[in-house]
Amino acid sequence: MAANDIDVFANEEKRNLELGGHVGFDSLPDQLVSKSVAQGFSFNILCVGETGIGKSTLMNTLFNTTFENEEGSHYENEVHLRPQTYDLQESNVKLKLTIVQTVGFGDQINKEESYKPILEYIDAQFESYLEEELKIKRSLLNCHDTRIHICLYFIAPTGHSLKSLDLVTMKKLDSKTHLPFAVVGSVEDVKVGNKMVKARLYPWGSVQVENENHCDFVKLREMLLRVNMEDLREQTHARHYELYRRCKLEEMGFKDTNPDSHSFSLQETYEAKRKEFLVDLQRKEEEMRQMFVNKVKETEAELKEKEKELHDRFEQLKRMHQDEKKNLEEKRRELEEEMNAFNRRKVAAETLMGQTLQGCSQPFKKDKDKKN
């Protein structure tokens, strides 16, 4: 083969790459969508309301399904929260839905602290997520995020003013979640005209769930699920959780740096908090030791006092026993003297009676001799 033939063959093997107008990073949103769909989504709803007000019915209506749920009781001694998680799928989108019910809310006579378990639950979920964040080996993508994304507060449609319990609870929840909607929920299909719709029947007529002239259910569902679900999830993370996280880390002694301050050292902060903790621990140990010593001294003093009381009681009983014994001996002597005196009198009486009988018998004998 000639050299010219080799050059021609080499030229034919070369591939020229030219940049076109399309680069390809406009597919990033599609990549994010594919990644998010593959991972799935989680959404957590907190339902706050009195027993029997319709929390479960509204959840069934919102997601067009029937969730398994225990019937509430009006005889709960305190408020406790019951989370239940469901795996839902619509098309190829998977949703891990957690519905948290307030069991016993508003059923107690004293309702002053009914809101506390709700706030404690919300903060507990923040605390759980923060603990996962602070781990050395953390897996935030795989852990079940239970932070509350939205709180639905149910108000009884009595037509009267809000109860004091509603006002206090909504005020406490204001920094964590809230918008008012007038909503009716129903899972029953009712025939209205020529079509079947979800509605509630009343003696005066029917209220259609998806009729915007009747209630705000459609607006709530649009806002909650179709339009703002991701915004609510982001608000929970970026606003409510960040506020909790910032306050918690400041309590732990962590501070951000600014141009006027020294550089932030995690090790120094840890050592400072550790020393502070050890000093506090020593102080508490000393307080407990001193408390124990004082308690022992108090117990010893009480025991000595009890011992003295028992000794005094024993001496008193001993004296009483001696006095009773002395009295009994005196009475015994008196009885013996009385018995001796009685015996003496008895002997004297018997002697006197014998002498009297003998004296009477002698004159009788002399008269008999005379007659003879």
Side-chain angles (χ1 to χ4, degrees):
M1 182 179 293
N4 292 333
D5 295 336
I6 295 175
D7 291 337
V8 171
F9 180 77
N11 291 332
E12 289 178 354
E13 291 294 325
K14 289 181 179 180
R15 184 167 63 94
N16 295 325
L17 295 178
E18 296 181 0
L19 289 176
H22 180 72
V23 177
F25 57 79
D26 61 349
S27 66
L28 278 175
D30 297 330
Q31 296 177 37
L32 290 176
V33 169
S34 299
K35 180 181 178 181
S36 299
V37 169
Q39 291 176 348
F41 302 88
S42 66
F43 194 59
N44 307 317
I45 301 177
L46 172 61
C47 298
V48 182
E50 299 178 6
T51 305
I53 201 171
K55 301 185 292 294
S56 300
T57 302
L58 181 62
M59 291 298 102
N60 294 338
T61 310
L62 272 176
F63 292 93
N64 195 25
T65 186
T66 301
F67 298 112
E68 295 181 1
N69 193 19
E70 299 178 8
E71 289 190 8
S73 171
H74 289 278
Y75 303 100
E76 299 290 340
N77 295 326
E78 59 183 3
V79 179
H80 62 274
L81 282 83
R82 183 173 61 204
Q84 291 178 299
T85 301
Y86 309 93
D87 292 319
L88 306 180
Q89 184 167 351
E90 190 171 84
S91 298
N92 64 332
V93 178
K94 296 179 180 180
L95 176 67
K96 185 181 288 292
L97 175 67
T98 299
I99 300 175
V100 185
Q101 301 277 7
T102 52
V103 181
F105 183 76
D107 291 337
Q108 295 76 37
I109 296 176
N110 185 2
K111 303 180 179 61
E112 291 183 359
E113 298 185 351
S114 295
Y115 67 90
K116 286 188 176 180
I118 302 173
L119 300 182
E120 291 172 358
Y121 180 87
I122 296 175
D123 289 341
Q125 310 319 303
F126 287 154
E127 179 73 18
S128 177
Y129 192 86
L130 179 61
E131 288 178 358
E132 185 64 32
E133 265 195 337
L134 296 177
K135 288 181 180 179
I136 296 176
K137 295 182 179 180
R138 59 182 184 175
S139 56
L140 295 175
L141 293 177
N142 297 326
C143 77
H144 182 200
D145 184 4
T146 58
R147 295 174 297 175
I148 298 299
H149 298 123
I150 187 170
C151 172
L152 297 179
Y153 193 92
F154 293 73
I155 301 172
T158 58
H160 303 290
S161 59
L162 291 174
K163 299 178 182 178
S164 58
L165 174 62
D166 298 326
L167 294 173
V168 172
T169 306
M170 286 191 289
K171 185 177 181 180
K172 296 294 182 180
L173 289 172
D174 179 61
S175 62
K176 303 184 182 297
T177 52
H178 219 179
L179 294 174
F181 290 92
V183 175
V184 174
S186 175
V187 293
E188 298 179 0
D189 291 329
V190 178
K191 188 173 183 180
V192 177
N194 296 325
K195 61 179 182 177
M196 302 296 292
V197 296
K198 284 183 170 54
R200 281 186 178 270
L201 291 177
Y202 296 96
W204 42 264
S206 63
V207 176
Q208 299 176 29
V209 172
E210 297 183 350
N211 188 333
E212 295 189 41
N213 294 324
H214 290 189
C215 67
D216 296 330
F217 175 82
V218 174
K219 294 184 178 68
L220 176 63
R221 185 170 59 186
E222 290 288 311
M223 183 277 295
L224 187 62
L225 304 181
R226 183 172 297 177
V227 179
N228 295 317
M229 178 182 282
E230 185 57 31
D231 289 339
L232 292 170
R233 286 159 38 88
E234 181 62 26
Q235 279 289 318
T236 298
H237 181 78
R239 180 182 175 185
H240 304 299
Y241 170 70
E242 280 301 313
L243 176 62
Y244 175 86
R245 177 179 175 275
R246 184 184 67 193
C247 296
K248 197 69 175 180
L249 292 179
E250 287 177 352
E251 288 178 5
M252 297 169 64
F254 298 101
K255 295 180 180 178
D256 291 332
T257 59
N258 55 62
D260 299 329
S261 64
H262 299 288
S263 61
F264 173 77
S265 173
L266 183 64
Q267 182 66 26
E268 291 178 1
T269 303
Y270 170 76
E271 290 295 334
K273 294 301 293 184
R274 184 173 179 273
K275 290 180 181 179
E276 182 182 344
F277 173 76
L278 291 176
V279 170
D280 187 60
L281 183 62
Q282 279 186 333
R283 180 181 59 80
K284 289 183 178 179
E285 286 181 352
E286 181 62 25
E287 289 178 356
M288 292 181 66
R289 190 188 67 80
Q290 190 62 38
M291 186 184 301
F292 177 76
V293 171
N294 294 337
K295 195 67 177 178
V296 170
K297 290 182 179 179
E298 292 177 1
T299 304
E300 288 180 350
E302 291 177 358
L303 289 175
K304 287 182 179 180
E305 185 66 23
K306 292 291 184 182
E307 183 181 3
K308 184 176 180 301
E309 291 179 1
L310 289 173
H311 182 73
D312 294 342
R313 181 64 177 169
F314 173 75
E315 292 296 329
Q316 183 181 2
L317 292 174
K318 185 178 178 181
R319 287 193 298 270
M320 291 175 60
H321 176 70
Q322 290 175 351
D323 293 341
E324 289 180 356
K325 184 178 179 181
K326 183 177 180 181
N327 293 334
L328 288 174
E329 289 180 353
E330 290 179 358
K331 289 182 179 180
R332 183 176 63 78
R333 285 196 297 270
E334 290 177 358
L335 288 173
E336 288 179 351
E337 291 177 357
E338 290 180 359
M339 289 178 63
N340 292 334
F342 176 77
N343 289 333
R344 288 195 298 271
R345 288 195 299 271
K346 180 180 178 183
V347 171
E350 290 177 349
T351 303
L352 180 60
M353 185 177 291
Q355 292 176 355
T356 303
L357 291 174
Q358 186 178 3
C360 291
S361 61
Q362 287 181 355
F364 178 74
K365 185 176 180 183
K366 289 180 179 180
D367 291 340
K368 187 177 180 182
D369 291 339
K370 288 179 179 181
K371 286 180 181 179
N372 291 335

